[in-house]
Amino acid sequence: MSIFPKWLLALAAPNLIPLLCAPLYLFGDPCPVDTTSDVISFLHYLLVQLLWLIPLGCFFLSLELYRREWERCGAAVAIAGIFLSAGGFYLLFS
């Protein structure tokens, strides 16, 4: 981690917070869908799980992009992950 600047780590760190809330995503239902179809319910469950998996991927992707000397893209991915985390928290706690 010493090869990354502190500003990038501080920018990417909020993308790890949804990992702490993963049990809430796993066992809670942030946006319930009332359907009788098992397929649609399963797809809904998978989409809800992406609310914490994608920001986690954004954390590692932003560091990898910075390591490959694409600083702006790495920062943009970190910021996009923050917005996805915020949207996930809004759906989870609303």
Side-chain angles (χ1 to χ4, degrees):
M1 287 298 204
S2 63
I3 64 171
F4 302 111
K6 293 186 187 319
W7 65 266
L8 182 66
L9 292 174
L11 190 62
N15 292 328
L16 294 177
I17 296 172
L19 185 62
L20 298 173
C21 296
L24 299 175
Y25 288 110
L26 289 171
F27 302 114
D29 200 7
C31 44
V33 175
D34 296 329
T35 63
T36 57
S37 173
D38 292 335
V39 175
I40 293 177
S41 296
F42 180 70
L43 291 176
H44 174 259
Y45 179 77
L46 289 179
L47 288 175
V48 167
Q49 298 315 307
L50 290 177
L51 291 176
W52 70 272
L53 284 173
I54 290 176
L56 182 65
C58 286
F59 172 79
F60 291 109
L61 182 62
S62 67
L63 296 181
E64 179 64 23
L65 288 174
Y66 186 86
R67 190 183 64 80
R68 292 183 183 215
E69 298 180 359
W70 294 338
E71 293 88 5
R72 286 187 184 172
C73 291
V77 167
I79 292 170
I82 291 172
F83 284 127
L84 286 171
S85 297
F89 286 140
Y90 175 75
L91 287 175
L92 186 63
F93 295 115
S94 65

